[in-house]
Amino acid sequence: MRLGSGTFATCCVAIEVLGIAVFLRGFFPAPVRSSARAEHGAEPPAPEPSAGASSNWTTLPSPLFSKVVIVLIDALRDDFVFGSKGVKFMPYTTYLVEKGASHSFVAEAKPPTVTMPRIKALMTGSLPGFVDVVRNLNSPALLEDSVIRQAKTAGKRIIFYGDETWVKLFPKHFAEYDGTTSFFVSDYTEVDNNVTRHLDKVLKRGDWDMLILHYLGLDHIGHISGPNSPLIGHKLSEMDSMLMKIHTSLQSKERETPLPNLLVLCGDHGMSETGSHGASSMEEVNTPLILISSAFERKPGDIRHPKHVQQTDVAATLAIALGLPIPKDSVGSLLFPVVEGRPMREQLRFLHLNTVQLSKLLQENVPSYEKDPGFEQFKMSERLHGNWIRLYLEEKHSEVLFNLGSKVLRQYLAALKTLSLSLSTQVAQYDMYSMMVGTVVVLEVLTLLLLSVPQALHRKAELEVPLSSPGFSLLFYLVILVLSAVHVIVCTSAESSCYFCGLSWLAAGGVMVLASALLCVIVSVLTNVLVGGNTSRKNPVHPSSRWSELDLLILLGTAGHVLSLGASSFVEEEHQTWYFLVNTLCLALSQETYRNYFLGDDSEPPCGLHVEQGLDGATPAWQDGSACDALERDKGHRSPSPSQVLRGHKKWMVLASPWLILACCRLLRSLNQTGVQWAHRPDLGHWLTSSDHKAELSVLAAISLLVVFVLVQRGCSSVSKAALALGLLGVYCYRAAIGSVQFPWRPDSQDISKGIIEARFVYIFVLGILFTGTKDLLKSQVIAADFKLKTVGLWEIHSGLVLLAALLFRPHNLPVLAFSLLIQTLMTKFIWKPLRHDAAEITVMHYWFGQAFFYFQGNSNNIATVDISAGFVGLDTYVEIPAVLLTAFGTYAGPVLWASHLVYFLSSETRSTWRPSTWVSQHLESQHLASQHLVSQHLESQHLASQHLASQHLESQHLVSQHLESQHPASQHLASQHPESQHLASQHPASQHLAPQHPESQHLASQHLASQHLESQHLASQHLESRIQIPGEQLSSPHLNQQLVSAPSSITEARSPSLHFPIYKATVFRIREVVNPPPWQTGSGL
């Protein structure tokens, strides 16, 4: 069967998408969900177990608390409350934790540690997936069962103030609400004042059952300046005062209600050492959970240390506290200290309801649930509970009843722990079979594409797919049988649910048939390739090339990085891969440099077009096929190597550049620790950002900005230079305004502001530089007359992006920007050009360094390292599009800047084979001088040959001339009319000797010599033209033009015989036509 290249590519893409979808389905398994949906109505609660007679408790227990107040402080870490900062800045909360009526916990939040998934975990008890990270940007309405839904259904009145994410998740659930945006991280004051301003009015009212307050200020401070900022202490003190106000008000209201009130203080997630969140570090997942109520009075000497629990346990606990059904999708367990003071029967009832809910969820999501240890413990606990109920109904007070009740209690708690762990593990368990099926399909398609690329490059190419051959059919059926057997074995022995096993036999069989067919096609194509066949009707030309060590490093490094992404540990620590590749590249460049400069390089430079382009102008030059042929014909005149061209300090800079780059990369590695395993280790960035080293940070930031200006301004116009200088000054002023750095004359400034004016001042210069560069670029495209204008325009666009990155980078990351520009300069001047690298190598190097600088910034593959504060620099309100664009640019500034530099570099070397510009211009000059030398040698040899021939001719005509002299006395008259013969005779002694005897032979010899010399001059002019067949429109260098034209003139002046002058003049005129063709040849005019 034959397929066109377009059809073949479309089929490959479709199959690739199918394989990726199956793989992702196994990598991100479906979350644990109950089949009974929330909108179907509440199910009746499970009755109390009974050993014989029917149970007499079939309803939900009554509420434990009258009112519940939930205070959620965004990004509240556990050490902010239980550590030294809590003791210093939150004294009232610390007192409640240590001596007050409270229970303290350290709640672990599962990743992703961002706000919306954490709210879902708190209210539903389920484990959100990573897809919720995307939904966090624009949260849809939550359709799962939750505490909020159950409270609304029960008729409870809920009031909410704070993050508007709650309003989006639970629309029409709040009787009163006031939401604030959570993305404007520059605001850490008004966003909390908007919540607190409602407190006095709401606390005096008694028309609510549940009050939820979500404070965002602490999270915003972390995004702006990190957890060590002095603003953190002020915000914690503000939260402590707010908590004291709420607790005091609830205590005063308890006299009017029969039940106590409950105050819950918690955090949705923590905060990393950089102030971000989203990953799984200890600082991000550990949050405080404090339950405060008069029902938790402690006895003297009762010391309660914080216990570690899961954040999903809050939903079940709140449901029991409010007398509501536990959410159906909850995988959490009841926090037993909350009900520890209740009677034994109520305690067992609460635990029984929780275990029944978890066992139902296990039955619906785990096929082999009966073998689960948690389910077996639940059944045993339920039987013991029934025995206890029967004993309780017989005698309510006995030691046997208490001992049995304690045993049942422990059994329930063990069952709850095991069931919760089984369900949580089920959510995080990989579906390995589905992942393997998807991986096999993807690899088969990629292999087939790689084998078919040479044939599919032609638009009209057709590929032969051998589907009907006997060998293909036999192999196809054998593979189908093997895959079917494997599928049956895996699906029958699987202990957990598998997506691929859950498919119908028709769908699973289709995938197996597809995988078998792909394997057979690959085997057939590979066989044809090995035996020299071709699957395409058209045979493409395969150019042969010579692979250098650097080419192999680039190929193997890129392929190795792609393969490393198949392991999760390599993905988490991807920065180590790029650090290794960049360091290895520096060593390879050093080896190549030393080989070129000390051992020499015998390789001939490829011929092609090169444009010598610097920041000051352009000097184009061309070498076409004729020049290459001339070089092949003339092996005696080789082009100079880089070691012969560069001398002095430039040579030593070339030799030292790889080591300087390697040193820069090593310094940058110590600036920011990233990844997962070693991100907690101290680094230079943490040392600089501490409040004790603000002076050092200020000096480093100022030096970095100065280096940025020196490296960038060299290619800008005078106007852009001034704008760049003022913009970089504005960057420092902005950082000083927000308190990150300090001015020398005001070291202890307390006037910390948002820096709105300073940032907008910088934005004006950024837009101005970008506008100037774009104008120059468009002008060069329209006019197409000034190549330098295009180069300057691209550099100014690059400069504008550099200025924007300097504004968005945090002060301790400014050295990353300075080192990036320094490495670009070193690579451009001393590596890429002298070492004759081509465009493909330079592009891959830009990509490698761009990826390395992404991690040098402190980024990683978890969202916790995304600096959200960069999206709000200079903004006083939340504007979605600018915030998203600025955040994206601040995060990927390293790759973007290297990509923009690549565009500039490639454009500045337009139509070039990417050989070093200075070297090529000198190489062309040397070729031209060599051609002049060859022409002069050729002319000289022709002249000597003509002299020798003339002397022989004169001797041979000696006898004839004697006869002519006797018969033609008028020959003397003819000789007098030809002075050229006298001139030739003066140069040849033999002819002078014969002159007085043979005047007619002198005339004939002179005519013969003239014809010989004209022929030699004609050959010389043809040889000179063959050496310099250069299109005039591409040889526009005035200097080289003048050299080419003046070369024959210099030869003419050296020889200057009157006979030779017209010939040289014609040759020079021919060279002028080649270099600057007349209008009728170029088509430019008449």
Side-chain angles (χ1 to χ4, degrees):
M1 183 177 69
R2 291 174 179 174
L3 295 176
S5 59
T7 306
F8 175 76
T10 303
C11 294
C12 289
V13 171
I15 300 173
E16 191 85 357
V17 171
L18 175 63
I20 293 175
V22 174
F23 175 84
L24 293 178
R25 182 58 181 80
F27 189 78
F28 297 110
V32 175
R33 291 287 183 266
S34 174
S35 59
R37 294 291 85 199
E39 57 269 14
H40 295 163
E43 295 180 355
E48 189 179 41
S50 178
S54 61
S55 174
N56 59 353
W57 196 350
T58 59
T59 60
L60 287 172
S62 58
L64 302 180
F65 303 97
S66 175
K67 296 181 184 299
V68 175
V69 179
I70 301 176
V71 179
L72 193 153
I73 302 177
D74 209 299
L76 183 65
R77 292 190 344 187
D78 61 329
D79 59 336
F80 287 175
V81 177
F82 304 134
S84 58
K85 290 185 178 179
V87 175
K88 182 178 181 181
F89 300 112
M90 304 185 73
Y92 186 78
T93 306
T94 302
Y95 168 77
L96 293 177
V97 169
E98 296 178 352
K99 301 179 181 180
S102 65
H103 290 291
S104 303
F105 307 92
V106 176
E108 180 182 351
K110 298 293 185 181
T113 51
V114 292
T115 298
M116 193 274 282
R118 294 301 96 218
I119 294 176
K120 288 178 60 176
L122 287 169
M123 293 296 105
T124 66
S126 62
L127 293 174
F130 280 88
V131 70
D132 291 312
V133 176
V134 180
R135 295 177 181 174
N136 184 66
L137 302 175
N138 188 14
S139 305
L142 185 62
L143 302 178
E144 303 172 26
D145 193 13
S146 64
V147 176
I148 300 295
R149 180 186 291 273
Q150 294 289 356
K152 174 70 174 178
T153 305
K156 297 186 180 294
R157 199 167 187 269
I158 310 172
I159 297 178
F160 170 77
Y161 301 115
D163 186 358
E164 63 181 3
T165 305
W166 289 77
V167 182
K168 295 179 180 179
L169 288 174
F170 308 104
K172 301 179 181 180
H173 286 72
F174 303 119
E176 182 180 330
Y177 64 88
D178 186 8
T180 56
T181 179
S182 60
F183 291 102
F184 185 52
V185 298
S186 297
D187 177 23
Y188 51 84
T189 304
E190 295 298 329
V191 70
D192 287 346
N193 293 340
N194 191 55
V195 177
T196 307
R197 65 188 177 92
H198 298 284
L199 278 181
D200 293 334
K201 179 180 63 175
V202 172
L203 293 176
K204 291 178 181 179
R205 292 157 40 189
D207 58 345
W208 52 272
D209 301 293
M210 194 173 181
L211 175 64
I212 303 176
L213 308 173
H214 190 150
Y215 286 90
L216 292 164
L218 186 68
D219 177 69
H220 290 183
I221 293 174
H223 284 298
I224 294 174
S225 53
N228 298 319
S229 171
L231 298 174
I232 294 289
H234 297 299
K235 182 57 66 175
L236 292 177
S237 299
E238 179 186 342
M239 295 294 100
D240 189 62
S241 301
M242 175 271 304
L243 189 71
M244 182 175 63
K245 179 189 292 187
I246 297 174
H247 185 234
T248 305
S249 176
L250 291 178
Q251 282 184 322
S252 64
K253 295 291 184 180
E254 284 187 0
R255 305 189 188 104
E256 306 172 2
T257 58
L259 296 176
N261 298 321
L262 176 64
L263 173 60
V264 181
L265 175 65
C266 63
D268 56 346
H269 52 75
M271 182 188 303
S272 67
E273 289 300 323
T274 60
S276 298
H277 54 85
S280 58
S281 65
M282 296 296 292
E283 294 81 7
E284 295 169 80
V285 300
N286 287 340
T287 63
L289 175 61
I290 306 175
L291 306 178
I292 307 169
S293 175
S294 58
F296 306 145
E297 290 290 345
R298 70 177 73 189
K299 298 177 182 179
D302 184 9
I303 301 176
R304 300 173 180 174
H305 296 289
K307 301 177 182 179
H308 283 264
V309 297
Q310 296 297 317
Q311 198 178 58
T312 51
D313 298 339
V314 175
T317 304
L318 288 177
I320 296 297
L322 291 170
L324 304 172
I326 299 175
K328 298 180 179 63
D329 299 328
S330 173
V331 298
S333 57
L334 172 67
L335 298 177
F336 184 70
V338 175
V339 299
E340 196 171 10
R342 307 298 295 181
M344 178 65 71
R345 187 178 184 183
E346 292 187 20
Q347 295 181 33
L348 295 178
R349 176 63 172 161
F350 295 144
L351 295 175
H352 177 253
L353 290 173
N354 198 180
T355 51
V356 168
Q357 178 263 326
L358 291 178
S359 64
K360 288 183 178 179
L361 197 62
L362 184 72
Q363 294 178 45
E364 295 175 0
N365 291 273
V366 179
S368 57
Y369 66 91
E370 294 179 351
K371 301 179 182 179
D372 189 86
F375 188 79
E376 295 176 354
Q377 290 176 345
F378 161 67
K379 286 300 183 181
M380 183 180 296
S381 303
E382 200 171 34
R383 287 194 298 268
L384 290 175
H385 190 188
N387 295 332
W388 186 90
I389 290 296
R390 185 179 60 179
L391 187 60
Y392 174 79
L393 295 177
E394 294 176 357
E395 49 180 324
K396 296 186 178 181
H397 303 286
S398 68
E399 185 176 354
V400 176
L401 182 66
F402 177 78
N403 292 335
L404 181 59
S406 300
K407 182 179 180 180
V408 176
L409 198 67
R410 291 192 298 270
Q411 193 74 22
Y412 267 131
L413 291 175
L416 278 176
K417 184 177 180 180
T418 308
L419 286 171
S420 179
L421 182 60
S422 298
L423 290 170
S424 301
T425 306
Q426 183 69 25
V427 174
Q429 187 175 5
Y430 295 126
D431 184 357
M432 297 302 300
Y433 184 45
S434 300
M435 292 174 60
M436 291 180 62
V437 171
T439 303
V440 168
V441 173
V442 169
L443 291 180
E444 285 180 340
V445 174
L446 289 178
T447 304
L448 185 59
L449 283 174
L450 289 176
L451 292 175
S452 305
V453 160
Q455 290 77 27
L457 289 178
H458 299 271
R459 288 186 298 176
K460 298 182 180 180
E462 293 183 358
L463 295 137
E464 184 74 26
V465 182
L467 296 180
S468 58
S469 62
F472 181 92
S473 302
L474 178 61
L475 180 62
F476 175 75
Y477 291 129
L478 289 176
V479 175
I480 280 287
L481 291 175
V482 172
L483 292 181
S484 300
V486 171
H487 181 71
V488 172
I489 293 173
V490 171
C491 293
T492 53
S493 61
E495 297 182 357
S496 59
S497 61
C498 175
Y499 170 74
F500 198 70
C501 292
L503 295 176
S504 64
W505 268 102
L506 183 62
V511 175
M512 288 186 287
V513 168
L514 182 63
S516 303
L518 287 174
L519 180 61
C520 295
V521 171
I522 290 173
V523 171
S524 177
V525 173
L526 190 60
T527 303
N528 291 336
V529 170
L530 293 178
V531 300
N534 198 339
T535 59
S536 176
R537 295 177 63 184
K538 297 182 181 294
N539 294 324
V541 180
H542 298 280
S544 61
S545 60
R546 173 182 163 187
W547 288 77
S548 64
E549 294 89 345
L550 185 63
D551 295 331
L552 292 176
L553 171 64
I554 289 175
L555 176 63
L556 296 178
T558 305
H561 168 256
V562 173
L563 294 177
S564 70
L565 298 180
S568 59
S569 57
F570 279 94
V571 174
E572 293 176 351
E573 308 295 332
E574 187 182 358
H575 63 286
Q576 300 288 359
T577 303
W578 288 115
Y579 293 167
F580 172 78
L581 290 178
V582 169
N583 293 342
T584 307
L585 177 63
C586 292
L587 295 177
L589 291 174
S590 177
Q591 183 265 347
E592 186 179 8
T593 305
Y594 290 165
R595 183 180 61 189
N596 277 274
Y597 279 86
F598 292 112
L599 300 180
D601 192 358
D602 297 332
S603 60
E604 288 285 345
C607 300
L609 172 71
H610 177 80
V611 177
E612 167 65 22
Q613 176 62 47
L615 295 175
D616 299 329
T619 307
W622 171 266
Q623 291 176 341
D624 62 357
S626 59
C628 293
D629 296 338
L631 287 176
E632 292 296 328
R633 289 192 302 266
D634 184 19
K635 295 294 183 179
H637 296 273
R638 287 180 179 250
S639 58
S641 64
S643 59
Q644 297 172 340
V645 174
L646 297 178
R647 299 290 182 182
H649 71 281
K650 289 187 178 180
K651 175 180 179 179
W652 295 112
M653 280 301 300
V654 171
L655 296 176
S657 292
W659 297 101
L660 291 176
I661 296 171
L662 185 63
C664 293
C665 293
R666 188 62 190 90
L667 289 175
L668 291 175
R669 288 184 61 178
S670 61
L671 185 61
N672 293 303
Q673 290 286 354
T674 184
V676 175
Q677 300 296 329
W678 297 279
H680 63 280
R681 292 187 176 182
D683 51 36
L684 186 58
H686 290 112
W687 184 83
L688 289 170
T689 53
S690 64
S691 57
D692 299 332
H693 304 100
K694 184 178 289 188
E696 292 83 351
L697 178 62
S698 303
V699 173
L700 182 63
I703 295 176
S704 300
L705 292 174
L706 182 61
V707 172
V708 168
F709 175 75
V710 171
L711 294 176
V712 174
Q713 57 84 29
R714 57 193 176 89
C716 299
S717 61
S718 56
V719 176
S720 297
K721 288 181 181 179
L724 180 65
L726 294 175
L728 293 175
L729 180 61
V731 170
Y732 191 89
C733 294
Y734 165 73
R735 290 299 172 183
I738 65 175
S740 300
V741 297
Q742 60 189 14
F743 288 112
W745 57 86
R746 196 173 55 180
D748 297 326
S749 174
Q750 300 297 328
D751 300 332
I752 298 177
S753 66
K754 297 179 181 179
I756 302 296
I757 299 177
E758 292 84 353
R760 292 179 176 178
F761 177 78
V762 179
Y763 281 135
I764 293 175
F765 291 111
V766 170
L767 294 176
I769 296 175
L770 291 177
F771 174 78
T772 303
T774 306
K775 182 192 69 175
D776 293 341
L777 185 62
L778 293 177
K779 186 177 179 181
S780 65
Q781 295 294 328
V782 173
I783 299 178
D786 193 352
F787 186 78
K788 179 181 178 181
L789 194 64
K790 177 181 178 182
T791 306
V792 173
L794 289 172
W795 182 259
E796 287 185 341
I797 292 177
H798 178 69
S799 304
L801 296 177
V802 170
L803 180 57
L804 181 60
L807 176 63
L808 301 182
F809 275 18
R810 298 199 178 192
H812 75 279
N813 266 341
L814 288 176
V816 177
L817 182 61
F819 276 119
S820 176
L821 297 172
L822 179 61
I823 292 176
Q824 289 174 359
T825 304
L826 292 175
M827 295 287 284
T828 301
K829 288 187 174 181
F830 303 111
I831 293 182
W832 290 328
K833 293 182 179 179
L835 294 183
R836 317 172 190 176
H837 292 127
D838 57 23
E841 293 173 344
I842 293 173
T843 301
V844 175
M845 290 184 201
H846 273 85
Y847 172 70
W848 282 20
F849 275 101
Q851 292 296 314
F853 272 88
F854 172 79
Y855 295 101
F856 286 149
Q857 293 176 233
N859 296 320
S860 66
N861 286 331
N862 64 66
I863 60 176
T865 55
V866 177
D867 186 9
I868 300 179
S869 63
F872 303 94
V873 174
L875 301 180
D876 53 1
T877 58
Y878 175 64
V879 186
E880 185 174 0
I881 295 179
V884 172
L885 293 178
L886 291 176
T887 302
F889 180 79
T891 303
Y892 296 98
V896 169
L897 291 179
W898 278 87
S900 65
H901 184 270
L902 175 64
V903 173
Y904 159 76
F905 187 86
L906 295 181
S907 299
S908 65
E909 303 286 332
T910 304
R911 286 169 286 185
S912 171
T913 54
W914 312 113
R915 295 297 179 257
S917 306
T918 305
W919 182 84
V920 170
S921 62
Q922 295 181 357
H923 171 62
L924 289 176
E925 238 176 89
S926 63
Q927 282 187 346
H928 173 63
L929 293 177
S931 65
Q932 290 180 350
H933 181 66
L934 287 173
V935 170
S936 62
Q937 286 184 343
H938 184 74
L939 293 176
E940 197 169 328
S941 62
Q942 292 289 338
H943 183 68
L944 293 176
S946 64
Q947 289 179 351
H948 180 70
L949 290 173
S951 61
Q952 290 182 349
H953 183 75
L954 290 175
E955 290 178 2
S956 63
Q957 294 294 328
H958 178 68
L959 297 176
V960 178
S961 61
Q962 290 179 352
H963 178 73
L964 290 175
E965 183 180 1
S966 61
Q967 293 184 0
H968 301 281
S971 60
Q972 296 180 354
H973 175 71
L974 293 172
S976 63
Q977 293 182 353
H978 295 279
E980 293 86 349
S981 61
Q982 298 178 2
H983 172 69
L984 293 175
S986 64
Q987 294 183 350
H988 302 284
S991 61
Q992 291 177 2
H993 174 73
L994 296 173
Q997 299 179 3
H998 307 283
E1000 182 63 24
S1001 64
Q1002 289 180 4
H1003 173 67
L1004 294 174
S1006 63
Q1007 289 182 343
H1008 180 73
L1009 284 173
S1011 62
Q1012 291 284 341
H1013 197 64
L1014 284 173
E1015 185 177 354
S1016 65
Q1017 294 298 326
H1018 179 66
L1019 293 174
S1021 65
Q1022 287 183 344
H1023 182 71
L1024 181 60
E1025 289 180 24
S1026 66
R1027 302 288 294 185
I1028 53 172
Q1029 288 291 328
I1030 307 170
E1033 60 181 1
Q1034 296 163 346
L1035 214 159
S1036 59
S1037 171
H1039 175 67
L1040 189 57
N1041 192 349
Q1042 183 178 3
Q1043 283 186 341
L1044 290 174
V1045 173
S1046 61
S1049 301
S1050 60
I1051 300 175
T1052 304
E1053 292 174 1
R1055 301 191 175 275
S1056 64
S1058 58
L1059 178 63
H1060 298 175
F1061 179 76
I1063 304 168
Y1064 279 112
K1065 186 175 181 180
T1067 305
V1068 171
F1069 181 75
R1070 174 57 184 160
I1071 297 175
R1072 292 185 185 273
E1073 288 184 342
V1074 172
V1075 176
N1076 296 313
W1080 56 84
Q1081 293 184 7
T1082 61
S1084 59
L1086 296 176

